[in-house]
Amino acid sequence: MKKTFLFLISFAALVVSCEPAPQLSFEETLDISSDGGDVTVDVTSNYPWTAEPSVPWVQITSSGGGILGISISANETYDSRMAEIKISCKNIAKTLTITQNQKDVIITDGDSLTVGYDAQDIVIQVQGNVSYQCEVGGDASSWLHLAVTKGMVSSRINLHADENVGKSPRLAKVVLQNAEQTANAAFTVKQEGTPSILKVTHSAKSFVAPTLNCSVAQVYWGDGEGEKYKANLSHSYAEQGTYCVTVTANDLSVFVISSLVGVESVDISGI
């Protein structure tokens, strides 16, 4: 009986020793875009295996057999991030490392800008986590020029607008975009036209400003005083004399002088 017991023990040990050693292999690194999504990884193993992610933005959708299904959330941050999935089979464990790209972004300090008609330099503050190029769209590149292009964490765009010698305002669309076209920002630059100038010389003690069909204008009364144009605007003078009232306005095409009393001349050469 004792010999039989020893034989059974020896046979059991022989059976255990004949089991193959656990094997586990897979691609141990995975690069994912910021969009995330569902991916699968081929797993080779001769025994059942389990998978456990290290972060909540990585979820296991299926496991077993030879396929590991993974769902990865979109990365809404401006930094890349990493996660690990521990894959275990019997007494061995290996790690699948996931690297997810950052959300590419380019941000400007506003999406529109209005500047005067005169030639001038324009500075646009830019923030981003990718290198980018700046392009002035369409015909506007003939008057709005790129001075400096940079790709930094915090940078700026330097533009130069030529003088607008025309009466009408003009628009430019400026686009910032990285080479991969994963991030972009756009803004518009509006440049006012050369202001129209109307001059009225008169000798009245008080004067009513001409009625204008524009939204922005400035009235200079000829005695050192001036103010922004509004409807029914008038001015009284401290002394009787001859004064030249100058009106500067954008896009002025129609004006009406309500009273010609004391008016000596009207100069419309600047309109």
Side-chain angles (χ1 to χ4, degrees), residues 34 75-79 102-108 126-132 152-155 176-178 181-185:
S34 61
N75 186 2
E76 297 296 338
T77 72
Y78 302 145
D79 295 305
Q102 77 279 357
K103 179 180 181 180
D104 293 338
V105 64
I106 302 172
I107 303 173
T108 61
V126 182
Q127 289 185 321
N129 57 3
V130 292
S131 298
Y132 60 85
M152 302 170 59
V153 172
S154 181
S155 59
L176 310 180
Q177 189 170 65
N178 65 332
Q181 298 185 0
T182 55
N184 63 76

Side-chain angles (χ1 to χ4, degrees), residues 89-127:
C89 173
K90 280 190 173 290
N91 62 342
I92 62 173
K94 294 184 178 181
T95 300
L96 168 62
T97 301
I98 298 174
T99 302
Q100 188 176 29
N101 295 337
Q102 77 279 357
K103 179 180 181 180
D104 293 338
V105 64
I106 302 172
I107 303 173
T108 61
D109 56 350
D111 57 8
S112 64
L113 180 67
T114 299
V115 298
Y117 73 95
D118 53 320
Q120 58 195 282
D121 292 328
I122 303 169
V123 177
I124 306 297
Q125 296 298 327
V126 182
Q127 289 185 321

Side-chain angles (χ1 to χ4, degrees), residues 19-256:
E19 288 186 353
Q23 297 178 359
L24 182 64
S25 64
F26 50 87
E27 192 71 34
E28 298 185 7
T29 60
L30 191 61
D31 293 326
I32 301 295
S33 72
S34 61
D35 295 332
D38 297 331
V39 296
T40 58
V41 176
D42 294 330
V43 179
T44 301
S45 176
N46 57 349
Y47 290 103
W49 49 270
T50 59
E52 181 181 356
S54 62
V55 293
W57 51 271
V58 174
Q59 299 290 325
I60 304 300
T61 58
S62 63
S63 62
I67 298 295
L68 171 63
I70 310 170
S71 179
I72 301 172
S73 301
N75 186 2
E76 297 296 338
T77 72
Y78 302 145
D79 295 305
S80 61
R81 58 185 183 181
M82 295 183 63
E84 293 181 343
I85 297 179
K86 181 181 179 182
I87 302 178
S88 304
C89 173
K90 280 190 173 290
N91 62 342
I92 62 173
K94 294 184 178 181
T95 300
L96 168 62
T97 301
I98 298 174
T99 302
Q100 188 176 29
N101 295 337
Q102 77 279 357
K103 179 180 181 180
D104 293 338
V105 64
I106 302 172
I107 303 173
T108 61
D109 56 350
D111 57 8
S112 64
L113 180 67
T114 299
V115 298
Y117 73 95
D118 53 320
Q120 58 195 282
D121 292 328
I122 303 169
V123 177
I124 306 297
Q125 296 298 327
V126 182
Q127 289 185 321
N129 57 3
V130 292
S131 298
Y132 60 85
Q133 293 180 331
C134 178
E135 179 180 351
V136 180
D139 296 339
S141 59
S142 64
W143 60 268
L144 186 64
H145 316 287
L146 179 64
V148 177
T149 300
K150 296 182 179 180
M152 302 170 59
V153 172
S154 181
S155 59
R156 68 182 187 180
I157 291 293
N158 291 341
L159 300 169
H160 177 80
D162 295 339
E163 180 183 2
N164 186 0
V165 296
K167 296 296 184 182
S168 299
R170 54 190 181 183
L171 292 174
K173 182 178 181 180
V174 182
V175 177
L176 310 180
Q177 189 170 65
N178 65 332
E180 295 77 13
Q181 298 185 0
T182 55
N184 63 76
F187 61 93
T188 58
V189 176
K190 177 182 179 181
Q191 187 179 34
E192 299 288 0
T194 300
S196 298
I197 300 177
L198 170 66
K199 295 182 178 181
V200 181
T201 302
H202 72 94
S203 58
K205 189 67 165 49
S206 63
F207 187 79
V208 178
T211 301
L212 310 176
N213 69 331
C214 60
S215 58
V216 179
Q218 192 76 16
V219 180
Y220 303 94
W221 298 108
D223 59 353
E225 300 289 333
E227 55 190 302
K228 186 176 180 180
Y229 171 78
K230 61 182 179 180
N232 301 319
L233 183 64
S234 63
H235 181 72
S236 297
Y237 295 89
E239 299 179 359
Q240 188 75 42
T242 299
Y243 301 95
C244 180
V245 176
T246 302
V247 178
T248 61
N250 293 324
D251 281 338
L252 177 63
S253 59
V254 177
F255 67 91
V256 177

Side-chain angles (χ1 to χ4, degrees), residues 2-14:
K2 184 176 181 180
K3 290 182 178 180
T4 302
F5 179 72
L6 291 174
F7 173 76
L8 291 174
I9 293 176
S10 299
F11 180 75
L14 179 62

